Amino acid sequence: MRIRFSLSRLSVLAFALPMATFMSAGLFCESLAHGQGLGATPTNGFRVPAGFEVEMVHEVPLAEQGSWVAMCVDMKGRLIVSDQYGKLYRVTPAPSGEDASKTVVEPLAVEIGMAQGLLHTKDGLYVDVNGKGPTGAGLYRLQDLDGDDQFEKIEHLIPLEGGGEHGPHAIIPGPDGRLYMCAGNQTDLPAKIDASRVPRHWGEDHMLGRMPDARGFMATRLAPGGFVLSMKPDGSDVELVATGFRNEYDIAFNPNGDLFTYDADMEWDIGTPWYRPTRVNHVISGAEFGWRNGTGKWPEYFADSFGAVANIGYGSPTGIVFGTGAKFPAKFQNALFISDWSYGVVYAVNLEPDGSTYKSTFEPFVSASPMPVTDLVIHPSEGCMYMTIGGRKVQSALYRIKYVGGDSTAKAQYPDTPAAASARSVRRALEAMHRDGAKFDIDLAMRHLGSPDRAVRTAARLALEHQDSRLWRDPINQSLSPQAAITLAVALARKGVPSDQKEIQNSLLRLQWSKLSGSEKLELLRAYQLSFMRLGEGDPELRQKIVAQLDSHFPSPDGDSLVDRELARVLIYLQAPKIIERCVSQMSTANSAEQQIHYAFCLRDAKDGWTDETRKAYFQWFYQIATARGGASFGGFIENIRQVAIGWLSDEEKANLGELVGPPPAPKDPMADLAPRSQVKQWTVDELAKLAQEKKSGFDYERGKQMFAVAQCYKCHRFAGQGGIQGPDLTAASQRFSPRDMLTSIIEPSKEISDQYEATIFQTEEETIIGRVANLNGNVLMVSTNMLDPGNFTNIERHEIVETKASKVSMMPGGLLDTLTADEVIDLLVYLQAGGNPKSERYSQRN
């Protein structure tokens, strides 16, 4: 018997303590007969918080009723569902506690289906078709004209070009009486848009260009990407609300009237600096969320984009819903529930007001393996959650999740504060100007350009961009705060004309770099980028002044990796002196592979300033990076960067480099760079906790940073904005865990395992496979068994599975600190406690 498992040497730190309210269901099994029958995941296979239970409502016969992906509650309390590739069905669920055989499922007598969004209101049944439909993809309205409970009238309200898994998706009602719908990035904007809250001058905006996906996926798709529309119930007055999504499947409003979505990643990009994890976005008016193809995805800190309220990790987002109206404890009534199809989990995201937007925490709510969850609804009269699993022709089912515990389920007050309500009021006053013909209050917009609240200053900037720049460009010469000056420069670079460039750049040159915050530095650098990309190559004298302003700060003395990335981008573009030498040095010495790849990418088109030494070091790096692993496109991206750089070489330069520009380096064992160090001691938690408590000062920042890199933590964890995402983000570790907690999680990783990172044991007749289900296709489970090689799956046919159960062993082995000295361990802990910040007060204490 063969055993495949994911207990690779991951990192020094992979802790993720389970949520206190989360109750493990322990081991669960599927019988051999059940596995051979390809049935849906049994209810005893689900893990839910204490007090919740899951009921099977209907196990969908695949051959007759397909695989369900969308759902809504109709005006009579029944469910309407759609097969991904087929019909619509009306479902009358069996009463709670009764056998699922009492559920009634009937096909609707309409020639329409393939919906990934459904909504039933007094105005009719809205069907967002992601397929052919009677007359093509797009939004339809079905109406019952004679009261016979059937739909005789079908209207194609909004035709759309696009389909597949990145096509038209959800349709929901808004608090303003309008309807809102979303579509993925393979969908063209409708032919007729009556208004746009997004200023219509979007572009690709890459200072050093981009490279398409290394596997060619959607290589020709450009901005604006996925989008959100709103409209009147009859389909008129179509308005573009926001753009720049990759593939947001669903949208939801909270009780404050704010819109949210859960947007997808590009899992093939895992391990690259342009990878962005799945994330929850607050969809503010007119915002751009920065999806671009291939290497072009904007980092969330770009001033002309808008970030996330929660970065979840890799996965496949599907249905979302707020718990509003559920008969759940208050915490879950107020949660945003988001579905991850591939990893089989629904998260509860708890949003807390943060100025005019939100901050968040999240925890698993329901999970199983497999659980390809597709949609969620809260039933308004029953107060329970209905959940469908299915999609891609996998086994589908309908479940009911209800609360049976003893906590109060009285209607909860949604979290809010007077300060947050006031900030939202300001933001919405600014957003009211995001429409053609709206009254323009220039004083209000100018007053909030420097707001510390990113959502407010974004709303102010967009208000300006909706107007002719001649109405507001003059304040560029006024005395403004640094943040206001930067935001105004971004607005004018995006909206202005080439003759505005000098004034924009002169206004930015007046700012003192040393007095700017980290976020202001990033936005300043983006403002410079936009001023060149949008308005031209610029005046040579001004270019040199900008170099003088920025050049001495790269690399940054405080090691800010994100600021260094953008400094490199701008200084390479401006051909700063010795910038190639410095970037090659950074590329060779940066702790994380993604940081190194960023410099390699930026240098690929650099033509002047190379020496024999820097050129050799640059091409040697491609052999060193061959040990790294990532998503399916990772290796292709690396080789494409290399080939672009080779294309600029003369024959003589190629000859000097020899084999370095020959055939690409062969992939190496991802474990090859993890040669074990000699054992120092088999440490215990008590020993190290005592030593860490005794040492009060004299901590070595550089050694702590080195230990984090030596242990390969960056391969699986994000820290200070860089690194992998297979494990939890460790940046805020010190805010959640004591040194003893951290040591326990490192030394005894299997003591407590978060359900979010739990592996599953799949037993077949021939082998045991341990890992996490990362994807599904028909009856095939695609299991990730090595977190250092996340793009490589082991496929398992479901009918071959004899038994499945939760693994009691952590995906990270113990003993990882045994090769470190006590001082090295302590410096690593302090580095984590300091959040990677060398200026932390932890380093200010001296012996």
Side-chain angles (χ1 to χ4, degrees):
M1 177 182 291
R2 293 177 295 167
I3 297 179
R4 304 184 198 176
F5 53 93
S6 55
L7 304 183
S8 49
R9 285 173 283 175
L10 297 178
S11 63
V12 165
L13 204 55
F15 58 83
L17 298 182
M19 299 296 172
T21 62
F22 209 81
M23 178 184 70
S24 173
L27 299 184
F28 63 94
C29 299
E30 292 183 340
S31 68
L32 176 59
H34 182 79
Q36 290 176 334
L38 300 178
T41 303
T43 55
N44 66 355
F46 290 90
R47 295 172 290 278
V48 292
F52 285 85
E53 69 177 28
V54 181
E55 293 180 331
M56 172 80 77
V57 176
H58 181 60
E59 185 166 348
V60 181
L62 185 63
E64 294 82 22
Q65 297 173 359
S67 195
W68 295 356
V69 296
M71 171 174 50
C72 71
V73 182
D74 75 8
M75 300 296 288
K76 296 183 179 180
R78 302 165 298 188
L79 301 177
I80 296 175
V81 301
S82 180
D83 172 18
Q84 183 176 2
Y85 306 107
K87 298 179 181 179
L88 301 179
Y89 297 89
R90 180 183 286 128
V91 181
T92 304
S96 180
E98 296 194 15
D99 191 86
S101 63
K102 295 185 178 181
T103 294
V104 177
V105 179
E106 54 182 326
L108 292 183
V110 289
E111 292 301 320
I112 194 170
M114 302 179 71
Q116 293 188 13
L118 293 167
L119 171 67
H120 197 214
T121 74
K122 62 181 178 59
D123 297 303
L125 173 64
Y126 294 90
V127 182
D128 208 6
V129 173
N130 191 328
K132 296 179 181 179
T135 56
L139 183 64
Y140 291 79
R141 180 171 66 172
L142 284 57
Q143 292 178 304
D144 177 6
L145 301 179
D146 57 13
D148 66 350
D149 219 16
Q150 296 296 326
F151 299 100
E152 294 81 25
K153 183 178 180 181
I154 300 179
E155 300 172 89
H156 197 178
L157 299 183
I158 302 180
L160 290 170
E161 291 293 330
E165 294 184 358
H166 292 235
H169 294 316
I171 175 76
I172 66 169
D176 53 3
R178 295 171 66 85
L179 303 181
Y180 288 75
M181 66 164 287
C182 63
N185 59 1
Q186 210 161 11
T187 312
D188 294 338
L189 289 171
K192 184 176 184 295
I193 295 179
D194 300 294
S196 178
R197 290 185 169 270
V198 183
R200 299 184 191 231
H201 44 263
W202 51 73
E204 290 293 293
D205 292 332
H206 307 304
M207 171 160 256
L208 298 177
R210 72 172 178 91
M211 300 174 71
D213 177 79
R215 292 161 64 95
F217 183 68
M218 293 176 59
T220 61
R221 298 300 300 183
L222 302 177
F227 55 85
V228 175
L229 300 174
S230 80
M231 69 219 68
K232 291 182 178 178
D234 63 359
S236 64
D237 191 28
V238 177
E239 181 178 64
L240 182 61
V241 175
T243 59
F245 301 103
R246 180 175 183 267
N247 193 26
E248 78 293 26
Y249 186 85
D250 204 353
I251 47 180
F253 281 97
N254 74 357
N256 289 337
D258 285 325
L259 184 63
F260 292 83
T261 192
Y262 179 29
D263 196 15
D265 63 346
M266 177 43 156
E267 64 274 15
W268 293 355
D269 292 352
I270 290 173
T272 69
W274 44 87
Y275 172 77
R276 306 189 307 179
T278 65
R279 59 207 170 278
V280 177
N281 295 121
H282 176 195
V283 186
I284 61 173
S285 168
E288 152 75 74
F289 289 90
W291 174 83
R292 298 294 186 271
N293 183 268
T295 65
K297 287 171 281 294
W298 296 0
E300 64 179 7
Y301 53 75
F302 270 9
D304 46 337
S305 186
F306 196 64
V309 296
N311 284 302
I312 305 298
Y314 56 97
S316 182
T318 48
I320 73 172
V321 68
F322 274 93
T324 309
K327 294 177 182 176
F328 291 173
K331 170 184 176 181
F332 295 106
Q333 290 182 48
N334 293 330
L336 171 63
F337 296 98
I338 62 173
S339 303
D340 178 355
W341 182 88
S342 60
Y343 284 96
V345 60
V346 173
Y347 295 103
V349 181
N350 300 109
L351 297 162
E352 180 183 342
D354 184 21
S356 73
T357 183
Y358 301 83
K359 58 185 178 182
S360 70
T361 58
F362 63 92
E363 61 184 295
F365 175 68
V366 57
S367 62
S369 183
M371 192 187 84
V373 55
T374 53
D375 208 1
L376 308 169
V377 296
I378 301 297
H379 196 285
S381 60
E382 295 182 29
C384 65
M385 174 187 287
Y386 281 94
M387 175 179 75
T388 52
I389 67 171
R392 293 188 184 173
K393 299 183 180 179
V394 304
Q395 175 63 54
S396 191
L398 174 66
Y399 299 92
R400 179 191 287 119
I401 302 172
K402 60 181 183 179
Y403 183 70
V404 295
D407 292 347
S408 172
T409 59
K411 183 177 179 180
Q413 183 71 33
Y414 194 74
D416 204 4
T417 65
S422 176
R424 286 198 306 277
S425 177
V426 171
R427 170 168 58 79
R428 287 169 178 165
L430 292 162
E431 291 174 342
M433 293 185 263
H434 296 176
R435 186 160 183 160
D436 297 340
K439 182 180 178 181
F440 180 46
D441 186 341
I442 186 172
D443 292 333
L444 180 67
M446 293 298 301
R447 192 160 63 247
H448 292 287
L449 283 176
S451 173
D453 185 323
R454 183 177 180 183
V456 168
R457 69 174 180 268
T458 296
R461 172 177 61 79
L462 293 172
L464 296 184
E465 291 186 31
H466 274 279
Q467 306 296 323
D468 189 320
S469 63
R470 289 174 294 184
L471 298 176
W472 51 265
R473 66 178 304 282
D474 289 343
I476 198 85
N477 293 313
Q478 294 181 6
S479 176
L480 299 171
S481 69
Q483 182 64 75
I486 293 167
T487 307
L488 187 62
V490 169
L492 191 54
R494 285 167 48 84
K495 182 72 174 185
V497 295
S499 60
D500 295 319
Q501 187 188 59
K502 286 187 177 180
E503 287 188 64
I504 292 170
Q505 294 178 350
N506 278 319
S507 73
L508 298 176
L509 283 166
R510 287 194 286 270
L511 303 177
Q512 296 184 48
W513 178 267
S514 61
K515 294 185 178 181
L516 300 179
S517 67
S519 63
E520 288 172 337
K521 290 173 182 176
L522 289 169
E523 294 195 10
L524 167 72
L525 292 166
R526 182 58 174 170
Y528 274 132
Q529 292 172 25
L530 289 165
S531 73
F532 287 113
M533 292 183 292
R534 293 269 181 151
L535 305 177
E537 293 187 2
D539 177 81
E541 184 178 347
L542 275 178
R543 289 170 66 102
Q544 291 307 308
K545 288 182 178 179
I546 296 169
V547 169
Q549 180 192 32
L550 304 177
D551 196 48
S552 63
H553 305 291
F554 177 78
S556 54
D558 60 358
D560 190 322
S561 61
L562 300 183
V563 170
D564 279 346
R565 287 190 193 190
E566 300 311 315
L567 278 168
R569 208 187 306 257
V570 173
L571 292 172
I572 287 173
Y573 176 84
L574 294 175
Q575 298 180 312
K578 296 188 177 180
I579 186 58
I580 287 178
E581 177 182 328
R582 283 176 285 162
C583 284
V584 169
S585 175
Q586 289 296 103
M587 185 185 75
S588 301
T589 60
N591 287 320
S592 73
E594 76 175 57
Q595 190 81 344
Q596 295 173 19
I597 294 167
H598 172 80
Y599 292 119
F601 174 78
C602 290
L603 288 167
R604 77 196 190 285
D605 276 327
K607 304 174 188 65
D608 300 320
W610 291 93
T611 65
D612 290 343
E613 183 179 359
T614 55
R615 191 175 284 113
K616 182 177 180 180
Y618 179 78
F619 284 99
Q620 181 65 49
W621 173 85
F622 290 95
Y623 284 78
Q624 298 166 0
I625 201 66
T627 60
R629 289 294 179 271
S633 291
F634 181 86
F637 276 127
I638 299 298
E639 179 58 16
N640 289 349
I641 292 170
R642 178 174 175 266
Q643 290 300 326
V644 170
I646 290 173
W648 292 110
L649 298 175
S650 67
D651 291 341
E652 181 181 354
E653 289 164 344
K654 290 178 184 178
N656 289 339
L657 290 168
E659 65 178 12
L660 292 181
V661 293
K668 299 180 182 178
D669 179 353
M671 304 300 293
D673 57 345
L674 293 178
R677 299 172 62 177
S678 299
Q679 186 180 57
V680 173
K681 184 178 181 180
Q682 190 170 346
W683 292 109
T684 67
V685 173
D686 289 341
E687 286 175 323
L688 287 173
K690 182 175 183 295
L691 292 171
Q693 186 176 18
E694 291 173 349
K695 188 169 183 178
K696 304 296 184 183
S697 61
F699 305 116
D700 189 326
Y701 168 81
E702 290 297 335
R703 183 162 59 188
K705 182 178 180 181
Q706 181 186 26
M707 289 304 102
F708 195 80
V710 164
Q712 304 297 320
C713 299
Y714 280 119
K715 287 196 171 184
C716 292
H717 299 278
R718 290 192 74 77
F719 189 75
Q722 56 182 312
I725 45 75
Q726 294 92 322
D729 189 319
L730 304 181
T731 307
S734 64
Q735 300 173 20
R736 296 176 292 163
F737 304 110
S738 69
R740 174 173 282 275
D741 289 334
M742 289 190 255
L743 287 167
T744 300
S745 297
I746 301 166
I747 296 172
E748 303 172 4
S750 297
K751 187 173 182 178
E752 293 187 78
I753 306 171
S754 167
D755 294 87
Q756 185 179 354
Y757 299 101
E758 182 180 78
T760 299
I761 302 171
F762 299 93
Q763 183 68 58
T764 73
E765 292 286 356
E766 299 295 327
E767 60 184 335
T768 298
I769 298 169
I770 305 176
R772 299 177 66 200
V773 176
N775 212 331
L776 303 96
N777 190 356
N779 296 324
V780 177
L781 305 185
M782 303 167 71
V783 181
S784 176
T785 60
N786 183 355
M787 293 179 74
L788 292 181
D789 196 4
N792 188 13
F793 301 134
T794 298
N795 292 340
I796 312 173
E797 295 277 353
R798 279 201 66 191
H799 69 272
E800 295 178 353
I801 298 173
V802 176
E803 181 184 58
T804 65
K805 58 185 178 182
S807 174
K808 291 297 186 180
V809 180
S810 170
M811 296 180 75
M812 184 190 80
L816 290 174
L817 296 185
D818 295 350
T819 62
L820 277 64
T821 67
D823 283 341
E824 287 174 334
V825 174
I826 293 169
D827 284 334
L828 171 61
L829 291 175
V830 172
Y831 177 71
L832 289 166
Q833 289 178 308
N837 179 11
K839 295 182 179 180
S840 167
E841 62 180 15
R842 297 287 282 143
Y843 295 110
S844 64
Q845 302 165 349
R846 303 297 177 194
N847 286 322

